[in-house]
Amino acid sequence: MKLRQATVADIPLIQDLARRSWENAYADILSTEQMEFMLSEMYSETEILNHLQNPHYHYYLIQDENNDSYEGFIGYEHHYEEKTTKLHRIYLVPESKGKGFGKKALQFLHEKVSENGNERIILNVNKNNSARSFYESQGYRVYGEGVFDIGNGFVMDDYMMEFLIHSLLT
């Protein structure tokens, strides 16, 4: 597995990977209308371009070197809060789950966060998303929950999770 920093030229690939991932991950959680709304808002060319132009926001594509294919991506933002990086998105296409790509991507994130001087990683995960158990298996813990208005009459009912970088040292 290799992680490659995404560029503007990769926006269509990110959009395709997001759609393929979401159609599997959220099929039983979100309505088709909400999924389409969120994909169009969160993965519009303008939105991704804004992220890529933010010096604290990073996208990396997850590449399977054996198959020369892209299996997903990770998007995170350093200094989201004081000494905190927010993992905004990590998605894998369905056929690549269970192959260790997610674990390796999180290990990569931990290294990048440590290098950047942050001490904590936070993320939101839908309360009905089985990814929560994956994060817990990687040392993340729930520290709160919230219902977030995302517009157009839709909300996300999420757990807020965190990982403390110093826990890598203990």
Side-chain angles (χ1 to χ4, degrees):
M1 181 192 101
K2 179 170 104 175
L3 284 116
R4 177 178 69 77
Q5 190 156 17
T7 67
V8 172
D10 295 311
I11 291 175
L13 176 59
I14 292 168
Q15 291 171 320
D16 178 61
L17 291 167
R19 178 166 293 282
R20 289 170 54 206
S21 302
W22 277 49
E23 287 173 348
N24 178 263
Y26 295 115
D28 297 330
I29 299 173
L30 304 177
S31 69
T32 302
E33 294 79 17
Q34 183 168 350
M35 193 180 325
E36 288 300 323
F37 171 75
M38 292 176 70
L39 283 168
S40 69
E41 292 289 313
M42 296 170 61
Y43 291 96
S44 70
E45 184 173 340
T46 301
E47 185 72 10
I48 297 171
L49 185 59
N50 286 339
H51 294 161
L52 292 172
Q53 292 172 340
N54 176 342
H56 297 297
Y57 203 115
H58 305 278
Y59 273 96
Y60 281 85
L61 296 166
I62 300 168
Q63 186 176 16
D64 182 347
E65 294 175 290
N66 296 328
N67 297 328
D68 193 30
S69 61
Y70 290 100
E71 304 298 318
F73 62 93
I74 183 171
Y76 59 91
E77 185 177 3
H78 291 306
H79 310 297
Y80 184 80
E81 294 174 356
E82 186 177 347
K83 296 189 182 266
T84 300
T85 293
K86 179 154 188 179
L87 174 59
H88 287 284
R89 41 196 74 174
I90 180 172
Y91 290 105
L92 297 170
V93 294
E95 56 273 18
S96 67
K97 289 186 178 175
K99 296 182 179 178
F101 293 126
K103 288 179 186 178
K104 289 179 183 170
L106 285 182
Q107 289 167 356
F108 172 84
L109 176 62
H110 296 166
E111 292 167 17
K112 291 294 187 185
V113 169
S114 293
E115 290 169 9
N116 208 268
N118 283 189
E119 298 173 356
R120 178 177 176 238
I121 301 168
I122 60 172
L123 62 88
N124 290 9
V125 63
N126 185 288
K127 287 182 181 175
N128 297 309
N129 190 334
S130 61
R132 175 185 171 190
S133 61
F134 165 71
Y135 292 121
E136 288 175 334
S137 76
Q138 301 305 303
Y140 289 73
R141 69 171 190 86
V142 172
Y143 72 91
E145 54 186 79
V147 177
F148 303 94
D149 183 347
I150 58 169
N152 211 37
F154 298 117
V155 298
M156 290 300 295
D157 190 7
D158 291 346
Y159 289 116
M160 296 177 297
M161 301 186 80
E162 70 179 349
F163 180 87
L164 303 177
I165 295 297
H166 68 76
S167 65
L168 290 173
L169 307 173
T170 58

